[in-house]
Amino acid sequence: MSTMTTNSDDRTVFRTCPLCEATCGLEISIHDGKVARIRGDRDDVFSSGFICPKGSSLKQLHEDPDRLRLPVVRRGIDTEGAPRFVEVGWDEAWEVVDEKLSTVRETHGGEAIGVYLGNPAAHLLSASTHLRHLVRALGGHNRYSASTVDQMPRHVASGYLYGGGLLIPIPDIERTDLLVMLGANPFESNGSICTAPGFPDRIDAMRENGARVIVVDPRRTKTADHADQHIAIRPGTDAVLLAAVANHLLSEGLADPGSLVGLVEGLDELPALLAPFTVELAAAVTTLSVDTIRTLAEEIASADSAAIYGRIGTCTVEFGTLTTWLIDVLAVVTGNLDRPGGSMFTLPASERVRSSEEGKAYQVGRYRSRVNDRPEVQGEFPVADLPDEILTDGEGQLKMMITFAGNPVLSCPDGRRMDEAFAALDAMVAVDIYINETTRHADVILPPPGSLEKSHYDIAFYSFGVRNISNYSPPVFEHEGPTEDDILAKFTLIAMGAGPDADPDVVHDQVVHGLLEAEVRSTGSPVNGRDIDEMIAMVQGDTGSDRILDALLRTGPYGDRFGVDPDGLSLSKLLDNPHGIDLGPLDARLPGNLRTPSGKVELLAGPFADDLKRLESRLRDLIDDDRLVLVGRRHVRSNNSWMHNLEVLVKGKPRCTLQVNPADADRLRLSDGSEALVRSRVGSVTAPVEVTDVVMAGVVSLPHGWGHDFSGTRMAVASRYAGVNTNVLTDPVLIDPLSGNAVLNSIPVEVQPA
Ligand SMILES: Nc1nc2c(c(=O)[nH]1)N[C@H]1C(S)=C(S)[C@@H](COP(=O)(O)OP(=O)(O)OC[C@H]3O[C@@H](n4cnc5c(=O)[nH]c(N)nc54)[C@H](O)[C@@H]3O)O[C@H]1N2
Ligand SMILES: Nc1nc2c(c(=O)[nH]1)N[C@H]1C(S)=C(S)[C@@H](COP(=O)(O)OP(=O)(O)OC[C@H]3O[C@@H](n4cnc5c(=O)[nH]c(N)nc54)[C@H](O)[C@@H]3O)O[C@H]1N2
Ligand code: SF4
Ligand SMILES: [Mo]
């Protein structure tokens, strides 16, 4: 396939959309070297033609004049006091990076340098293959990412239950008889930690085939509209609901773990631990009726198969880890874990094949944070604490930040203080494509190639697929600057002291070598004992990332084992299959994939019994709590904080509105279209009111990712559709203590006419 862009360049290419977790196949028509049209690839083995409005906006993203093509360096301020950025060549940019890193290190030591890895890092191939090496080279413990404003509770629950933070059961929506979704809205988000392109169509199809869908959400979302039942729950109370459901099943003799009994430890202790959570108590806390809760429990128990699925609404709350654990407890006690139609483990093509090895106890808190004494979780600290670490004087204070594909000023709690913190740094380097609310604080911004100018393979999200899928996309267009993996490799070498002239190939080669070395040494690996040099000579790919991917695929569960199985998977086989390869439906994987010390699912290995006690002690506050609380929401034409610079996506009715239930609007004297002042403990914003019964009484909703009214950014369209930053309201003190995850939903607020 040609990747040249000449003026007679007319062709059609197929490509996986990198923008969200759905991994849709796109058909891109190129005319005269430009994108003429993007539509869903009907032959894609996974998405079968599905596309959302963001997918086709890759054309506008590619052409966006504000997207950086060359590095920019901050040089002083303009007449209005905003930072002034000038374009520089790559050599000059790397010199600035080297100089800043060395100065901060010499003056303040390695702990003064921190990193934030943003959401796209989970999607980008270069990030999957190279980021961890950069982070390690930077050396310090101050590591932050979007995980602690998102799914960290899921990793922690999995770590204790299954022995690995990435061992995540996926709802088998293709085969289930009952899907219960809590705090997830795939009709807007297109699914999360459940890779299922065309999620909306799949839900409609499920129901046509006789399955039932129940949505638990304080808002009557589009997903709820397409479900059999919507249960409007008081935000932040799902843990109580699920504990009561589990208790009801266990105490009424409705539990039936079936063949899981021999695979699970801790089942016998569950009834006593859950006994305090009666259906009556749960009704008072959640605002649901006793009948609704009992019926939900009985439906889950009696369904031939049931998949229970929670996402942002069950993770970004005060009991996020406990709620996530309870979701899996329910799967266990109803026999739905690891069976078709229940929740199953994907077997991705990049998985490392190992013989059953002894597991290690899952650990958090191997080291702790300086200011708030938080335990490390998955090697990270809570990003809600980042401003404290920057603004609190003392040894180990953060003086320099590296951000990769992240915009914490808009995405993380207490956005105003986050902005102050970034402004207070001695130095900052961003790898990003825009000068936005966060990167405007950088001394230098290093822009990677655009989405269509780099290869793509969703290493992370194929690990969470509802089927086992493998699909690779080469770049559509050539790119003049360094590739994204070259940027990360060079940055790694500079962080290691090799200076700005270091050759990125050194890193690429070392990573491939290290990967194959581990395989050769591991019993169970399909290439155990093989000759490394012989394999290295066979590795293919134009970039470092591509070569690492090739090595991963060929040594994975479906791999060609470097020539042993010519039909097996490799990069070149994927190049021959531009619509992807379907590796089949999910299979049962227990207990072979478990990495716990016992080799079983360990229900009580983590601090869950204690956390149930913590929940019990909060019940009194939660019953009849009638404070107004704030929740978020997503819209299909948005993507967190960064796609608002594309007119095609943002035009039309303003979307950054405060949704208020009519009863609350009456009480608070708010009318549709008026402006409301919303105040929380930490901040306030003024937002236009949308009176709608979509949101339940006692709850207001604002989307996140808006608030593009800062000076010094370079996102002309976004500043015209600025909206307000809901994370000015979210409170950094509110954290799920088990995971360090921020509470972004159920924030107490006061609302009045502005
Ligand atoms: N109140 C509230 N806050 C939330 C949430 C919520 O539900 N409510 N959701 C949270 C969640 S789940 C998440 S994941 C976070 C996301 O928050 P962040 O981690 O800040 O990620 P994004 O907002 O997606 O910003 C992505 C950044 O990557 C840059 N970028 C885009 N493409 C590329 C690329 O190819 N390479 C590089 N290097 N950079 C690129 C963009 O310019 C932008 O700066 O927000 C969280 N914040
Ligand atoms: N269009 C679009 N797609 C996206 C993104 C985007 O920004 N825009 N972001 C991507 C990212 S980073 C992620 S992590 C995923 C997230 O994917 P989802 O989790 O599906 O996304 P949300 O739309 O935030 O859905 C969360 C739902 O939880 C509800 N909720 C709030 N509080 C509670 C509660 O206490 N209990 C319950 N039961 N529900 C509650 C909210 O009303 C909301 O409907 O989406 C991804 N896809
Ligand atoms: S649903 Fe996600 S992957 Fe599919 S086209 Fe839209 S943004 Fe891209
Ligand atoms: Mo996310």
Side-chain angles (χ1 to χ4, degrees):
M1 179 179 305
S2 157
T3 54
M4 295 295 291
T5 50
T6 58
N7 275 346
S8 58
D9 181 20
D10 285 358
R11 60 205 154 99
T12 298
V13 296
F14 301 95
R15 182 170 182 79
T16 308
C17 175
L19 296 172
C20 89
E21 299 178 37
T23 71
C24 299
L26 306 177
E27 180 191 307
I28 306 181
S29 316
I30 312 288
H31 183 59
D32 276 353
K34 292 182 108 176
V35 176
R37 187 185 60 194
I38 301 184
R39 59 179 184 182
D41 173 10
R42 277 161 301 181
D43 296 322
D44 184 275
V45 295
F46 206 9
S47 62
S48 312
F50 181 87
I51 186 172
C52 87
K54 289 189 299 302
S56 53
S57 78
L58 279 172
K59 170 182 162 66
Q60 287 76 15
L61 180 62
H62 180 70
E63 293 165 2
D64 186 354
D66 285 339
R67 183 168 67 79
L68 300 177
R69 269 78 173 174
L70 275 175
V72 290
V73 170
R74 186 155 50 93
R75 295 250 166 83
I77 48 174
D78 65 17
T79 47
E80 276 143 48
R84 210 179 51 209
F85 284 96
V86 291
E87 278 187 355
V88 298
W90 279 93
D91 289 343
E92 188 176 343
W94 285 123
E95 270 162 35
V96 180
V97 173
D98 188 45
E99 193 260 319
K100 295 283 173 193
L101 263 178
S102 321
T103 308
V104 172
R105 236 192 221 143
E106 278 157 28
T107 322
H108 303 284
E111 289 297 337
I113 302 166
V115 289
Y116 174 84
L117 312 180
N119 170 271
H123 295 271
L124 296 165
L125 176 58
S126 61
S128 299
T129 55
H130 282 69
L131 254 187
R132 90 182 77 143
H133 305 288
L134 170 61
V135 170
R136 197 178 307 140
L138 289 168
H141 291 96
N142 280 300
R143 301 170 180 173
Y144 305 85
S145 83
S147 293
T148 52
V149 278
D150 189 345
Q151 81 291 354
M152 195 56 102
R154 184 59 266 181
H155 297 311
V156 175
S158 282
Y160 288 116
L161 284 162
Y162 314 117
L166 292 171
L167 291 172
I168 298 178
I170 307 304
D172 184 16
I173 61 171
E174 298 217 317
R175 291 174 292 194
T176 196
D177 294 296
L178 173 66
L179 175 63
V180 182
M181 284 192 269
L182 305 103
N185 186 12
F187 273 73
E188 304 285 359
S189 72
N190 277 296
S192 182
I193 318 196
C194 175
T195 304
F199 209 132
D201 296 348
R202 286 171 199 260
I203 288 184
D204 292 342
M206 276 175 66
R207 291 186 59 216
E208 271 160 37
N209 292 328
R212 256 176 76 76
V213 176
I214 299 175
V215 170
V216 181
D217 197 304
R219 296 183 311 115
R220 196 181 67 242
T221 59
K222 220 189 264 179
T223 307
D225 279 339
H226 284 253
D228 296 276
Q229 187 187 0
H230 170 222
I231 298 178
I233 191 171
R234 170 98 183 145
T237 67
D238 299 70
V240 182
L241 170 69
L242 295 172
V245 166
N247 181 27
H248 184 71
L249 297 180
L250 291 163
S251 57
E252 299 295 314
L254 296 170
D256 179 13
S259 58
L260 290 170
V261 167
L263 298 174
V264 177
E265 294 213 319
L267 266 174
D268 295 344
E269 288 94 319
L270 275 185
L273 289 171
L274 295 169
F277 300 93
T278 61
V279 168
E280 290 73 18
L281 248 174
V285 170
T286 57
T287 69
L288 306 176
S289 72
V290 164
D291 205 40
T292 302
I293 301 175
R294 278 208 194 107
T295 308
L296 175 65
E298 281 152 26
E299 265 196 71
I300 293 173
S302 64
D304 286 337
S305 65
I308 303 157
Y309 166 62
R311 215 33 292 278
I312 284 294
T314 52
C315 278
T316 58
V317 288
E318 209 184 318
F319 289 90
T321 307
L322 189 68
T323 311
T324 306
W325 175 77
L326 283 161
I327 286 172
D328 287 16
V329 164
L330 274 178
V332 168
V333 300
T334 56
N336 277 301
L337 184 70
D338 200 41
R339 85 165 174 207
S343 298
M344 305 191 76
F345 297 91
T346 311
L347 180 61
S350 59
E351 176 125 331
R352 300 300 77 206
V353 186
R354 297 290 180 261
S355 56
S356 268
E357 53 195 309
E358 230 169 74
K360 275 201 300 223
Y362 183 71
Q363 266 192 310
V364 302
R366 289 162 295 185
Y367 47 91
R368 304 185 76 89
S369 71
R370 178 180 70 104
V371 178
N372 297 324
D373 192 36
R374 305 263 196 214
E376 146 285 328
V377 173
Q378 300 275 122
E380 297 183 26
F381 291 133
V383 71
D385 284 350
L386 178 55
D388 284 342
E389 294 291 340
I390 297 173
L391 295 170
T392 311
D393 289 339
E395 178 139 8
Q397 182 180 2
L398 272 176
K399 295 288 184 182
M400 176 170 190
M401 282 297 294
I402 317 294
T403 63
F404 179 89
N407 191 4
V409 168
L410 293 193
S411 309
C412 300
D414 203 352
R416 228 177 25 199
R417 192 147 178 271
M418 188 68 80
D419 185 53
E420 277 168 36
F422 271 88
L425 291 167
D426 285 1
M428 175 181 169
V429 178
V431 182
D432 209 289
I433 55 173
Y434 284 115
I435 306 176
N436 64 22
E437 297 73 18
T438 302
T439 61
R440 74 195 181 106
H441 293 297
D443 297 289
V444 50
I445 307 175
L446 309 168
S451 293
L452 299 179
E453 298 164 333
K454 53 193 168 199
S455 56
H456 183 74
Y457 184 96
D458 259 292
I459 291 190
F461 295 107
Y462 287 139
S463 308
F464 307 135
V466 295
R467 293 181 74 81
N468 298 308
I469 299 288
S470 191
N471 198 345
Y472 168 84
S473 318
V476 178
F477 296 118
E478 260 183 8
H479 171 70
E480 283 184 7
T483 56
E484 198 158 27
D485 54 344
D486 275 350
I487 294 173
L488 289 172
K490 171 93 99 179
F491 205 156
T492 303
L493 291 165
I494 292 175
M496 292 169 73
D501 298 325
D503 176 4
D505 280 342
V506 173
V507 172
H508 306 322
D509 291 346
Q510 269 183 15
V511 176
V512 171
H513 192 276
L515 191 159
L516 291 176
E517 200 171 33
E519 291 303 312
V520 165
R521 275 206 248 107
S522 299
T523 56
S525 166
V527 295
N528 175 242
R530 289 271 296 275
D531 183 74
I532 296 183
D533 293 330
E534 178 209 349
M535 291 192 290
I536 285 181
M538 296 170 77
V539 173
Q540 296 187 358
D542 291 340
T543 64
S545 285
D546 285 355
R547 291 170 59 78
I548 295 164
L549 176 65
D550 189 43
L552 278 170
L553 295 171
R554 300 175 80 170
T555 54
Y558 315 90
D560 81 342
R561 293 175 273 158
F562 284 101
V564 174
D565 174 6
D567 294 333
L569 217 52
S570 64
L571 191 61
S572 93
K573 179 157 178 181
L574 289 181
L575 279 165
D576 291 340
N577 289 273
H579 309 289
I581 294 180
D582 182 357
L583 301 162
L586 306 190
D587 264 331
R589 294 196 60 197
L590 293 185
N593 63 337
L594 296 174
R595 292 291 175 265
T596 51
S598 64
K600 296 185 178 179
V601 176
E602 296 188 357
L603 289 182
L604 296 172
F608 301 114
D610 288 346
D611 219 44
L612 283 169
K613 289 264 167 345
R614 181 173 71 100
L615 180 60
E616 207 186 325
S617 73
R618 294 273 283 108
L619 286 177
R620 215 169 343 129
D621 305 337
L622 292 172
I623 292 174
D624 301 326
D625 177 4
D626 60 358
R627 287 177 303 172
L628 196 60
V629 291
L630 173 74
V631 300
R633 66 174 189 269
R634 282 175 162 76
H635 190 284
V636 73
R637 303 181 81 88
S638 253
N639 200 12
N640 296 318
S641 75
W642 73 277
M643 293 189 73
H644 297 149
N645 208 47
L646 307 182
E647 190 93 43
V648 275
L649 291 180
V650 285
K651 67 182 180 202
K653 238 173 48 185
R655 290 204 305 271
C656 187
T657 58
L658 183 78
Q659 293 185 334
V660 185
N661 180 275
D664 292 322
D666 263 3
R667 186 169 57 85
L668 300 165
R669 300 184 324 280
L670 297 167
S671 57
D672 195 65
S674 69
E675 296 279 316
L677 175 68
V678 191
R679 269 183 311 187
S680 74
R681 191 189 72 87
V682 290
S684 63
V685 299
T686 300
V689 171
E690 180 188 345
V691 178
T692 166
D693 67 357
V694 155
V695 63
M696 71 190 275
V699 179
V700 292
S701 166
L702 255 184
H704 74 284
W706 298 89
H708 305 291
D709 50 358
F710 290 78
S711 65
T713 61
R714 193 185 295 168
M715 299 180 76
V717 177
S719 355
R720 278 194 280 115
Y721 296 86
V724 297
N725 179 7
T726 191
N727 282 316
V728 163
L729 302 168
T730 48
D731 188 339
V733 167
L734 299 176
I735 273 189
D736 165 34
L738 268 48
S739 63
N741 207 89
V743 176
L744 303 173
N745 284 291
S746 69
I747 303 289
V749 287
E750 282 166 19
V751 179
Q752 64 186 74

